[in-house]
Amino acid sequence: MVVTMATAKTRQTRGDLVYAQLRGEILGGRYLPGDRLKFGTLAAECDASMSVIREALTRLSLEGLVTNEPNVGYAVTEISVPRLRELTDARLELEGLVFGRAIGDGDLAWESSVVAAHHRMVGTRYLTDDAPVRVTDEWALAHAAFHRALLEGCANKKLLQLANGLRDEAELYRRWSQPLGREKNRDLDGEHRRMMELALARDVGGAVTALRDHIAHTTDLLVESDIAVHTAVTM
């Protein structure tokens, strides 16, 4: 019994590592939207069994980062403006609902986690020194952690899981766009700070409106940016 439990724990840990590796490589651009993800190749590159690869790809498909089609297999999700618009519509409704619930349900520990996540994000370098310039992996993680912290106070964990899943899917679009936040007349830091302050003030209406405006604005900028280079959509 002890051996079985230890083996299961080791396997789960390996599965988590492979999942994190593949997720990072997809978001980092090693695999492009539409690229096929072949079991044999991934197993060799990750030094993992087929079952571990399948587990990782299943988790990534639940996040919307990969797709699985009969007789085709797994592939990195293709991006398009119509899909982004549909995703944004869903996020506006669900994230707004969950954020409002979080403000109503959240306790002092939730408030502290929001402040800490915001502080970490603000203190993290935003852009790389690469050519072309892109958002740093560290800031992307800190940014995701801040938005997760905003929603984390929601007592309904099923709603929270669904909202976070939509955010994960949207990450593919953010990573394949030009760095956002340095546009003229946009104060990205101010948008994040305002969401935090309104949440801490328990202003549900104001905070939800700020979040929805933030999401919608980002989508509009993504559509205007070089996302078109990676799609077959004519804008």
Side-chain angles (χ1 to χ4, degrees), residues 22-201:
L22 292 179
R23 190 178 193 276
E25 289 177 348
I26 289 171
L27 294 177
R30 180 179 178 188
Y31 299 108
L32 308 182
D35 277 359
R36 291 281 304 280
L37 299 170
K38 299 179 180 179
F39 278 80
T41 301
L42 295 179
E45 292 178 348
C46 298
D47 190 23
S49 66
M50 294 291 189
S51 62
V52 169
I53 296 298
R54 184 180 299 278
E55 174 190 337
L57 292 176
T58 298
R59 291 174 65 179
L60 291 168
S61 69
L62 292 175
E63 293 182 7
L65 295 180
V66 306
T67 57
N68 182 20
E69 298 182 15
N71 303 318
V72 176
Y74 287 93
V76 179
T77 299
E78 294 188 11
I79 60 178
S80 71
V81 171
R83 287 183 180 180
L84 176 59
R85 291 294 192 193
E86 183 177 56
L87 176 59
T88 299
D89 181 51
R91 290 184 61 205
L92 290 174
E93 296 300 323
L94 188 54
E95 281 192 53
L97 171 64
V98 173
F99 191 26
R101 292 277 192 99
I103 295 171
D105 298 338
D107 55 12
L108 181 60
W110 169 72
E111 292 184 1
S112 299
S113 69
V114 169
V115 172
H118 180 264
H119 181 71
R120 187 177 303 110
M121 179 180 63
V122 170
T124 302
R125 187 162 63 105
Y126 179 60
L127 297 178
T128 68
D129 297 324
D130 301 339
V133 171
R134 63 181 182 84
V135 173
T136 66
D137 292 339
E138 293 77 14
W139 189 90
L141 290 172
H143 177 247
F146 170 69
H147 276 275
R148 282 180 177 271
L150 290 178
L151 306 183
E152 195 66 34
C154 178
N156 188 317
K157 298 309 176 185
K158 186 60 177 179
L159 284 174
L160 178 62
Q161 180 183 23
L162 292 171
N164 281 329
L166 292 177
R167 278 203 53 79
D168 288 338
E169 187 173 350
E171 183 67 18
L172 192 62
Y173 287 85
R174 286 191 293 272
R175 288 297 185 101
W176 276 102
S177 72
Q178 295 174 350
L180 302 181
R182 296 297 184 263
E183 299 81 12
K184 185 178 181 181
N185 299 325
R186 187 183 195 192
D187 180 7
L188 186 60
D189 289 340
E191 291 177 25
H192 289 132
R193 184 173 58 255
R194 178 169 175 75
M195 285 186 282
M196 177 187 68
E197 292 174 346
L198 289 169
L200 297 179

